[in-house]
Amino acid sequence: HVQLVESGGGSVQAGGSLRLSCAVSGSLWSSYCMAWFRQGPGKEREGIASIVTGRGETTYVDSVKGRFTISLDNGKNTLYLQMNSLKAEDTAMYFCAASATWDRCLPGWRLIDYAYWGQGTQVTVS
């Protein structure tokens, strides 16, 4: 069983930076998929970045590529999302998620592929 708790959200001006954290308790396999999703006002939840925990392989959607970085500190059991050059359209509730799929992240960012979710942390860019 895995529990996820996000932190680090807040309000920031356009062009600024934030780092989100996701504390992970429990474990699945030696290598599985973790991801960051976000849900903006009136929008569907969308996946934006993923990492395969055992191999460090990362994937990003085009809208955040080059601005956001997903990383994992295994010693601290914490997933991070470094967000730079923030834009107003990045305003959303951000969620971390974990998939029970061993050693890969399934394509398509389907919510159903992620069994574990945090409660979310709000990011507002003005």
Side-chain angles (χ1 to χ4, degrees):
H1 184 67
V2 173
Q3 290 185 313
L4 308 173
V5 179
E6 302 96 334
S7 61
S11 297
V12 63
Q13 290 188 335
S17 299
L18 279 175
R19 188 177 77 161
L20 305 183
S21 300
C22 175
V24 183
S25 60
S27 63
L28 294 166
W29 319 113
S30 59
S31 181
Y32 55 98
C33 180
M34 293 202 70
W36 286 97
F37 286 73
R38 68 183 181 186
Q39 187 166 14
K43 298 181 180 180
E44 295 185 350
R45 193 171 301 189
E46 61 169 349
I48 58 171
S50 68
I51 186 168
V52 180
T53 63
R55 296 188 280 113
E57 177 181 291
T58 58
T59 303
Y60 299 91
V61 294
D62 287 345
S63 60
V64 306
K65 199 173 293 183
R67 299 188 299 124
F68 291 10
T69 303
I70 187 172
S71 63
L72 180 68
D73 186 330
N74 286 309
K76 295 182 178 180
N77 289 333
T78 302
L79 179 74
Y80 298 102
L81 184 69
Q82 177 67 43
M83 306 186 293
N84 299 327
S85 302
L86 283 162
K87 306 175 182 179
E89 51 262 45
D90 295 318
T91 294
M93 184 72 79
Y94 284 71
F95 301 87
C96 65
S99 168
T101 304
W102 182 76
D103 199 38
R104 64 186 292 244
C105 291
L106 296 174
W109 304 101
R110 298 191 310 166
L111 304 186
I112 197 172
D113 291 333
Y114 294 83
Y116 305 98
W117 292 85
Q119 82 289 349
T121 186
Q122 178 68 38
V123 172
T124 303
V125 185
S126 59

